[in-house]
Amino acid sequence: MSARHFLSLDDLGASGIDSVIASAIARKREAPTDRPLLGRTLAMMFEKSSTRTRVSFEAGMTRLGGHAIFLSPGDTQIGRGEPVEDTARVLSGMCDAVMVRNHSHAVLEQFAAYASVPVINGLTDRLHPCQLLADLQTYVEHRGDIRGRTVAWIGDGNNMCHSYINAARLLGFHLRIAAPEGYAPDDSLVRAAGDQVSIYDKAQQAADGADLVVTDVWASMGDEQSREARLADFANFQVNKALMSWAAPDALFMHCLPAHRGEEVSAEVIDGPASVVWDEAENRLHAQMALLLHLLEAGA
Ligand code: CP
Ligand code: NVA
């Protein structure tokens, strides 16, 4: 199958990321009223909860003149055991692209192998590349090119952290990761990023002089059973005013949301002057509209 997928940032590469972000910024500013995806349909399969991903893809398809269909396991034959390979082939015959949010990245890859239309990763246990497009767009809008800058990742070495590692490798910014023992990111991704990624034990070491400080929930979807243990394990990894004071004076704060104030971030940081989380959330819409246009070759 030769469809262009977006399962990880590597599927776009550095030039593709740059072009999608430039297109997102331009279309956000110009707000064109063309309908380049008129008559096109995006199927959206969600195995996990979502606010931003669902609404941004659905609203984005509406703005582009197309249509989005929300599918959940409870309402489809997938939930009753229909094989992913069969579902991929059936949806490919009816829709122009498929967005998938599921538990297993391996299953997403299996789905994509059988799909003849573009498949978009809307978050798996391993990666969350759509969020990175929005984060990178937000950084560019506020501070310009992220190349050569220093980003601090504070907290879990999870799907978001993995996508930051890939972005650091592809775009050439320095990522400093501080995670508690036992919560380090995937070693193969870290090694592939070479000098672009450094791992620290203490949050202060990672935040020192950083241009951007990023965190995420301490217990991702699927980690609920270990939530109590994680609250204790991550206690020294909260992004608060004291930690932000280590960062550069004009450092930005990002969080993919949903956030837990008082856990991974203090209210004074997420609701304070360094925080750009609302722009970051809105940019899910703009970045993904540009991504859809890029994948469907309908402009951009
Ligand atoms: N950031 C993000 O992906 O949010 P949702 O889980 O609400 O889609
Ligand atoms: N790491 C989080 C991101 C949510 C958008 C999770 O996987 O639940």
Side-chain angles (χ1 to χ4, degrees), residues 115-198:
S116 54
V117 298
V119 175
I120 299 170
N121 180 353
L123 180 146
T124 64
D125 55 346
R126 185 165 175 82
L127 297 172
H128 195 4
C130 285
Q131 184 67 52
L132 258 288
L133 294 180
D135 287 23
L136 293 167
Q137 178 185 345
T138 308
Y139 192 86
V140 171
E141 287 177 337
H142 282 269
R143 295 284 185 267
D145 198 352
I146 199 164
R147 285 169 174 79
R149 301 297 191 133
T150 298
V151 177
W153 175 270
I154 310 295
D156 196 9
N158 63 12
N159 45 10
M160 275 297 299
C161 179
H162 288 163
S163 283
Y164 261 96
I165 293 169
N166 289 343
R169 168 173 50 79
L170 287 164
L171 295 183
F173 60 85
H174 196 178
L175 181 65
R176 297 203 198 131
I177 299 168
E181 200 183 334
Y183 298 97
D186 183 287
D187 195 43
S188 64
L189 292 180
V190 173
R191 271 188 280 111
D195 291 344
Q196 300 305 136
V197 172
S198 319

Side-chain angles (χ1 to χ4, degrees), residues 48 101 123 128 158-160 216-217 219-221 256-258:
K48 294 175 171 176
R101 169 170 285 196
L123 180 146
H128 195 4
N158 63 12
N159 45 10
M160 275 297 299
D216 187 12
V217 291
S220 287
M221 292 181 278
C256 63
L257 306 178

Side-chain angles (χ1 to χ4, degrees), residues 256-286:
C256 63
L257 306 178
H260 296 77
R261 288 170 177 77
E263 293 182 17
E264 75 274 6
V265 61
S266 67
E268 61 184 353
V269 168
I270 194 168
D271 299 319
S275 174
V276 290
V277 297
W278 311 122
D279 290 342
E280 182 188 2
E282 183 190 322
N283 282 339
R284 293 294 304 277
L285 172 70
H286 303 292

